[in-house]
Every structure is written in structure tokens, then in C-alpha cells.
Amino acid sequence: MKIVGKTKILGIIGHPVAHSLSPLMHNAAIEALGLDFVYVPFPVEPESLSAAVHGLRALGVRGFNVTIPHKSVVMPLLDKISPEAELCGAVNTVSNENGLLVGYNTDGTGLLKSLRDDLGFKPGGSVVLILGAGGAARGALASLCNAGVSRIIVANRTRERGEALVETFRDRFGKVSFHLSSLETGRLEENLKAADLLVNTTSVGMNGTSFDGLNLASMASHAKVYDMVYSPAETPLLADARRNGLACANGIGMLAAQGEAAFSIWTGVESPPGLMKDRVLAEIVA
Ligand code: ATR
């Protein structure tokens, strides 16, 4: 990679960012396409966010990704927010359009693409059970509602948080029916039976953690299971899905697809199909 006077800068802000796989994915695509860009990590402490965003604008950085814990707090610092990012209440991609910072959210696009490519899932008319009610759940609801699902059931540990999420979306999507479920064993059974798709949006599954007593045996044989967690590659939830003969996938496809969508916003060029995913997989296996 040759950096010259007119090389355009891309990057990621977060805290921490040392673990991020985005620099690898984006630089692999830049290199494969021979573009004059470079993608770098910027660790930004929460109290420095405003200064960092002003600095990135002043430096003429072409675009940047935003990750935990800045995805929502960055919004008031930007000049324009896309309708999808507004609905998600979070921005993961910022594009510097001649000094105007525009916030996008490509996580939803990423989820839908991964559901289609990795599981062959078609959202139209389907029943989806979502585990969790945080930022990632909100993004999933936004994209799934826009894609035409007929029913969404939210199961969250803290009931009030699930209620608040459902209320927000009920007002926006009159054609989708929304339900709340407990995460507790027994109470979840009926909803597991009804679901065409189960999506885990929580961090449960990372570092070997698992949902207490959750058992997928009652899911329909055609149902699919998606876990946004990708490390470990097979979470206890996915192992359970596999044991029950259900089609399932981890969040690698979503990670790669949200990156592809951001890349094309910044560069105007598509990343070569499959390249970002292969790069991430090679890193995780290595
Ligand atoms: P994110 O932006 O990644 O979604 P978040 O907004 O902090 O992160 O939300 C985390 C989600 O994971 C929440 O739904 C949280 O449940 P609570 O609302 O009850 O806190 C869920 N979560 C985290 N750890 C969990 C655990 N051990 N068991 C069940 N749910 C968990």
C-alpha cells in the first residue's frame, strides 16, 4: 500500500478499537481494488468524542465508522442523519461530503444481506423473535420492519426496556404486530414455536456465556437462527440450533456486509463480493 499526498483517509472511532476487524476488511478491499485510500483505527475516549469529530472534519477525513460506545452520542455532532440511522437511534458510518458530516447506519443492511446470503431468509410476512432490546435490537427491528416482516416478538431480560422498544416501533409500523415475551424458560416456548427466525442481538454467547435454560427444541423445523455474536464462531445458542437441525449462522456475515455498505458510501465502488468476509474469517481462524 502506497500512501501519497492525495491519499484519502478512512477510519474507525471507538473505545476500545484495538480488537476491531474493520481496518483489516477495508484495507483488504482498498488493496484489491487499487484505490488511493487508507483505513486507520482511532481510539477515542468518551470525553474526547466531540473534539475528535471536529478534528476529523478539520483534517478532511473522507469517512469513518463509529463503534461502541459512540454510536448514539455521535449523532448530535453530525450535520445530517439518514432516515434509517434516525430510526435505529444510532450511526455506524459517517461520510464527509465536502465538509458536511452525514451519518448512516449500515448495520441493518448488513443484517438483511447476511440473513439472505447465509440463511436464505426472506423477511416478507415472517414472524421474528428478537432476543434483547438494546441498540443492536433496535437496529434489527428497524431493518426487519422496513423489509416487511408481519410479526416481531421481543424477549428481553429487563421487561421495561423491551416495552419501550416495542412502543417506539408500534407507532412507526402500523402493519407489523409487536409482542413482548419473557426470556424465562416456559414463557418463551409458544413464541419459539411461532417464530420463522430467531435473532440474538445481545452479547450473550461471547466468552462462552449462554442463556439460562433456553432450549430451541420447540422451534419449527423450517425456522432459522441468527446470532450477531461471532466469537466464538459457534456460540451455545448456535450449537443448540445445530443439534436441533435448524439452519443457523453467526454474525460474521453481518459484520462483513455492514462494512461493504460503508465502503461503497465512501468510495462509490463495491468491495469485491466475499472479500471482506474471507479476510475476517482468515483472521479469526488464524
Ligand atoms: P447493544 O447496543 O450491543 O445492543 P446494549 O444497548 O447495552 O448493547 O444492550 C444489551 C442487550 O443485551 C440488552 O437487551 C440486555 O438486556 P437488559 O436490557 O436486561 O440489560 C442484553 N443482555 C446483556 N447481558 C445479558 C445477559 N447476561 N442475559 C440476558 N440479556 C443480556
Side-chain angles (χ1 to χ4, degrees):
M1 186 174 287
K2 196 171 84 179
I3 297 178
V4 295
K6 55 186 172 37
T7 302
K8 296 183 197 67
I9 314 293
L10 301 172
I12 178 165
I13 59 170
H15 183 70
V17 282
H19 66 288
S20 172
L21 297 169
S22 293
L24 277 174
M25 291 191 324
H26 286 280
N27 286 318
I30 288 166
E31 219 172 312
L33 293 165
L35 301 180
D36 194 8
F37 280 83
V38 65
Y39 185 110
V40 289
F42 296 116
V44 175
E45 305 254 357
E47 56 274 24
S48 305
L49 180 65
S50 173
V53 171
H54 283 104
L56 290 166
R57 188 203 303 265
L59 292 168
V61 163
R62 176 63 189 89
F64 53 96
N65 281 129
V66 183
T67 188
I68 290 166
H70 306 316
K71 283 183 167 190
S72 295
V73 270
V74 78
M75 294 175 79
L77 301 169
L78 306 177
D79 302 306
K80 208 176 149 192
I81 305 287
S82 76
E84 195 172 14
E86 198 79 65
L87 188 59
C88 294
V91 158
N92 79 327
T93 301
V94 176
S95 177
N96 184 349
E97 309 289 342
N98 301 314
L100 202 73
L101 297 186
V102 186
Y104 297 91
N105 192 310
T106 66
D107 285 333
T109 317
L111 173 64
L112 292 178
K113 181 170 191 291
S114 183
L115 288 173
R116 187 183 65 225
D117 293 356
D118 299 329
L119 290 178
F121 178 75
K122 296 192 183 76
S126 64
V127 177
V128 183
L129 174 57
I130 301 276
L131 304 182
R138 193 177 160 127
L141 255 67
S143 55
L144 289 163
C145 288
N146 274 325
V149 299
S150 73
R151 185 165 15 140
I152 292 213
I153 305 150
V154 172
N156 195 48
R157 180 178 58 181
T158 311
R159 188 171 176 92
E160 299 73 42
R161 216 166 163 205
E163 267 165 10
L165 181 66
V166 159
E167 285 316 311
T168 310
F169 278 79
R170 202 171 261 150
D171 291 344
R172 283 296 275 273
F173 293 93
K175 286 192 183 140
V176 182
S177 81
F178 294 93
H179 302 265
L180 264 182
S181 168
S182 161
L183 251 183
E184 283 164 36
T185 326
R187 305 249 186 105
L188 199 54
E189 213 68 12
E190 282 306 307
N191 295 315
L192 283 168
K193 254 183 220 163
D196 299 307
L197 173 72
L198 170 70
V199 182
N200 174 37
T201 71
T202 75
S203 51
V204 176
M206 279 182 199
N207 313 315
T209 53
S210 59
F211 290 100
D212 268 354
L214 179 62
N215 178 345
L216 305 183
S218 57
M219 290 192 84
S221 59
H222 75 274
K224 299 170 195 293
V225 177
Y226 195 84
D227 199 335
M228 287 192 188
V229 175
Y230 52 80
S231 180
E234 182 163 282
T235 60
L237 183 74
L238 294 178
D240 191 15
R242 210 177 296 278
R243 266 195 307 276
N244 283 287
L246 304 172
C248 60
N250 68 21
I252 294 262
M254 177 176 169
L255 172 71
Q258 64 73 31
E260 288 170 350
F263 187 84
S264 67
I265 289 172
W266 298 321
T267 65
V269 183
E270 303 285 322
S271 171
L275 181 135
M276 287 199 181
K277 189 171 178 185
D278 289 347
R279 188 65 194 84
V280 170
L281 280 172
E283 185 63 20
I284 288 178
V285 170

